[in-house]
Amino acid sequence: MFSRILIANRGEIACRVIRTAQKMGIGTVAVYSDADADALHVAMADEAVHIGGSSVSESYLRADRIIQAAIDTGAEAIHPGYGFLSENPGFVDAVVKAGLVFIGPSADSIRAMGLKDAAKRLMEKAGVPVVPGYHGEAQELVVLASKAREIGYPVLIKARAGGGGKGMRKVDSPDDFAEALGSARREAKSAFGDDRVLVEKYVSKPRHIEVQVFGDNHGNAVHLYERDCSLQRRHQKVIEEAPAPDITPEMRAAMTDAAVKAAKAIHYSGAGTIEFIVDASQGLRPDGFWFMEMNTRLQVEHPVTEMITGLDLVEWQLRVAAGDPLPLTQAQIPLNGHAVEARLYAEDPAKGFLPAIGTLHHLAFPAAVREGTVRIETGVRPGDTISPYYDPMIAKIVVHAKDRATALQAMEDALLNTEIAGTVTNAAFLAALARHPGFAAGDVDTGLIDRDLHSLVVPVAMPAGAKELAVLYASGLLTKVTSDDPWTALRGYSHLAPPQYPVTLGEPGHTLRYGITVLDDDRFEVAVADATLDLRVRRDGSGWHITGKGINLRAKTAAIPQGIAVIARGVVAIFAVPDPLQQADEAGGAGDRLTAPMPGLVKSVRVSAGDLVRKGQVLLVLEAMKMEHSITAPHDGKIAEIVNEGAQVKEKTALVRFEEAEVAALTKI
């Protein structure tokens, strides 16, 4: 076994690998960029090496610096995690050439499966069913458009390199093909350095079911059952589960047999995933699934497989890479209960799931859930910052229970008891998915989220009592409720009329001044304008229980810079505590300007100064956090100025300035 390994990754997967290595008594070396100098994975490792600037091209994609760091620190092997260089055969070759061990498959296996078109041709030869489509070398628009017509619309354009939904576009009509192809190619080129694509038949009610496979260097290959990853947004997985709901023994046998056959066809060693597209329009049938691609690495969603089998897949990776045979035979691999994983992101579902940046001023995960177990995979701590340079994942929340219904209830419970203040998250959206009736019934396909988005992304009302609790917390008078100090207990006492304590609290759009009077040890009177409330506040575990007229709220409070967060069952209400010495200058963006919603690169500009545009028209495309985002006109108008293509912009940078346009002129557009 290795004595020391280097983890060529960051965030939660680096932390995940470090934990298993530590359990096995293996020393660890982390690498980090400028932005990750204070990251959790750096603190957890035995040693850490700086490898470059904040962007991935300057750090986590610098194979030469990573390999040199391994050599300099005496590491014997490199674990790639997932993403970055994990499926780069050139990196594997360089690792081996340097006399190190790559903890993963061979470069030949990665090459065989790295390009989707070549992989599908290989799978056809191995007897694995593949989805109808064009997987050839020709990339001219006229050829691809012609093949799309032959296949029949709708079709799916897919980048032949990489994954994660990048470089993928559904096309419903020949009229939209050229535009979708251009967008897919740009995104694929940016993400993978390869803009070549393939075209496939779009399955009308598709489910995404994948099989975890494992091989060793002794000719053995097994499966560790299937995972259902059908809940997706923009072709990116949102919630994953194992086993797949409603799968029959016959379907499982057919899929797992095909997956092991695929692994053996390329003499696969290590952890891998065979992904299948399944036609669920007539239920799950042994003849209704097709090979999509193979991920030649550990998957983001591997914890659900670990939960149902009780196995540590990272430990298996390390043992196989060290030359050991697989720890178990196929017959020895158990399958127990049901597991669900949700990807908790710093993103705003109400704004089209725009990635968000910010500091995690308050962060707490549930230690337990009802009738199940919870597991948190994260690479951040309270006080850490979600930066614009990397994927904005905060954590993976994983639950395990005796059956699927209990697991879904446990997942909702875990999400509603996750506390985050400092950045917007998709926690409420994930909780809505966990209780979605169709999903709960197992009637799921990859289009579910898009179809029901209106019901899943519903603004959550601030609970009654949240504002009053924030006012009391800001006053400092709640120390009376919990303190045993006699001087603290006297706060608010007066021989004459009790004094009124002033508190100024800010909410979106306005600021109000409150007056607080202490009535008793746990009773307070809160006055604002002409209204007065008599409230009682008691300690409730680690939070508060506030009651009064129309109020019965259990919540927690957290101090954040210039404000207070009130957290209650998945709802986070933020209130500002204004600094009276600070000048108020929050005019915001003017109506004639359109600003960048996040830092990014202007990939393309669709209009020019002087153009008349309609509301909703795409003005430019901004690339941020590895994805393309269309910036559209908020209203009709005339373009006065627009940012240059190729510009790197910061959040709130002016992108477009409008002039007023005559209605008569607009009708000519």
Side-chain angles (χ1 to χ4, degrees), residues 9-12 14-15 18 30-45 48 60 378-381 384-385 390:
N9 218 296
R10 64 174 302 279
E12 60 87 15
C15 296
I18 290 171
V31 293
Y32 65 93
S33 67
D34 288 346
D36 279 341
D38 298 318
L40 179 58
H41 74 281
V42 174
M44 288 179 62
Y60 297 107
T378 185
V380 295
R381 302 154 294 185
D384 284 353
T385 297
Y390 314 114

Side-chain angles (χ1 to χ4, degrees), residues 3 67 100-101 124 192 209 216 272 363 454 506 609:
S3 60
I67 292 171
L100 304 169
V101 175
E124 282 183 301
F192 316 120
I209 301 177
D216 62 21
L363 176 66
H454 65 285

Side-chain angles (χ1 to χ4, degrees), residues 564-578:
I564 295 167
V566 176
I567 305 160
R569 291 283 291 172
V571 180
V572 181
I574 302 295
F575 302 93
V577 180

Side-chain angles (χ1 to χ4, degrees), residues 149-361:
R149 286 191 179 90
E150 291 178 14
I151 296 166
Y153 285 90
V155 298
L156 198 62
I157 300 173
K158 298 172 66 173
R160 75 173 202 161
K166 298 177 180 66
M168 187 180 294
R169 298 291 185 275
K170 177 192 174 190
V171 190
D172 294 305
S173 164
D175 296 338
D176 303 325
F177 188 84
E179 174 72 14
L181 177 63
S183 180
R185 279 176 165 165
R186 286 193 302 273
E187 198 167 87
K189 182 69 174 178
S190 175
F192 316 120
D194 186 345
D195 66 355
R196 289 172 291 180
V197 301
L198 51 86
V199 183
E200 292 181 342
K201 177 65 179 174
Y202 182 82
V203 179
S204 60
K205 191 175 182 181
R207 279 178 64 175
H208 180 144
I209 301 177
E210 60 190 30
V211 176
Q212 176 73 60
V213 294
F214 233 104
D216 62 21
N217 296 310
H218 303 276
N220 302 308
V222 297
H223 70 81
L224 287 84
Y225 307 104
E226 78 284 347
R227 297 184 290 256
D228 195 306
C229 307
S230 299
L231 277 188
Q232 300 181 9
R233 181 187 61 79
R234 292 183 66 180
H235 306 293
Q236 289 188 306
K237 300 166 187 173
V238 176
I239 289 181
E240 303 99 347
E241 59 181 313
D246 299 328
I247 191 168
T248 64
E250 295 77 15
M251 178 73 162
R252 175 176 289 138
M255 291 188 74
T256 54
D257 178 68
V260 172
K261 189 182 297 183
K264 287 184 174 180
I266 57 172
H267 310 289
Y268 195 78
S269 175
T273 301
I274 309 297
E275 300 195 352
F276 295 102
I277 189 75
V278 178
D279 182 0
S281 61
Q282 300 179 39
L284 300 184
R285 310 183 320 277
D287 62 347
F289 70 92
W290 303 277
F291 172 86
M292 281 200 303
E293 61 186 357
M294 181 178 191
N295 288 303
T296 52
R297 53 169 167 80
L298 199 65
Q299 289 283 89
V300 177
E301 58 272 19
H302 77 273
V304 295
T305 294
E306 293 183 323
M307 297 292 263
I308 63 168
T309 60
L311 303 174
D312 185 332
L313 299 194
V314 174
E315 181 179 344
W316 276 40
Q317 284 186 298
L318 293 170
R319 294 196 182 282
V320 166
D324 294 350
L326 291 176
L328 298 176
T329 65
Q330 187 67 69
Q332 294 173 314
I333 299 172
L335 171 59
N336 297 310
H338 201 93
V340 183
E341 174 182 297
R343 302 188 186 190
L344 182 64
Y345 276 94
E347 63 182 13
D348 192 347
K351 294 183 179 179
F353 295 89
L354 279 178
I357 59 175
T359 300
L360 301 170
H361 298 301

Side-chain angles (χ1 to χ4, degrees), residues 524-602:
F524 306 88
E525 186 179 80
V526 176
V528 58
D530 297 327
T532 301
L533 274 176
D534 187 341
L535 302 170
R536 172 160 283 169
V537 183
R538 298 182 179 89
R539 260 298 182 188
D540 182 41
S542 59
W544 306 99
H545 184 195
I546 180 171
T547 56
K549 186 177 181 180
I551 294 173
N552 185 7
L553 175 68
R554 286 179 168 85
K556 293 184 180 180
T557 50
I560 62 176
Q562 290 83 50
I564 295 167
V566 176
I567 305 160
R569 291 283 291 172
V571 180
V572 181
I574 302 295
F575 302 93
V577 180
D579 182 349
L581 301 179
Q582 185 178 5
Q583 291 289 332
D585 183 16
E586 300 178 355
D592 66 339
R593 292 178 186 275
L594 190 59
T595 59
M598 73 197 87
L601 175 69
V602 179

Side-chain angles (χ1 to χ4, degrees), residues 118-152:
K120 289 183 178 181
R121 291 194 293 269
L122 179 62
M123 290 299 98
E124 282 183 301
K125 291 181 181 178
V128 178
V130 300
V131 68
Y134 173 70
H135 311 129
E137 292 293 330
Q139 292 292 300
E140 294 82 3
L141 170 60
V142 63
V143 174
L144 296 176
S146 173
K147 295 296 182 182
R149 286 191 179 90
E150 291 178 14
I151 296 166

Side-chain angles (χ1 to χ4, degrees), residues 59-135:
S59 52
Y60 297 107
L61 293 181
R62 288 297 301 267
D64 55 338
R65 294 180 184 174
I66 291 170
I67 292 171
Q68 191 60 52
I71 294 170
D72 292 345
T73 57
E76 302 153 276
I78 294 179
H79 193 300
Y82 52 72
F84 297 141
L85 294 169
S86 63
E87 295 181 280
N88 185 318
F91 178 58
V92 180
D93 286 335
V95 169
V96 173
K97 185 177 180 181
L100 304 169
V101 175
F102 180 76
I103 302 172
S106 68
D108 288 342
S109 291
I110 295 175
R111 286 190 178 96
M113 291 300 204
L115 297 177
K116 295 182 180 70
D117 50 358
K120 289 183 178 181
R121 291 194 293 269
L122 179 62
M123 290 299 98
E124 282 183 301
K125 291 181 181 178
V128 178
V130 300
V131 68
Y134 173 70
H135 311 129

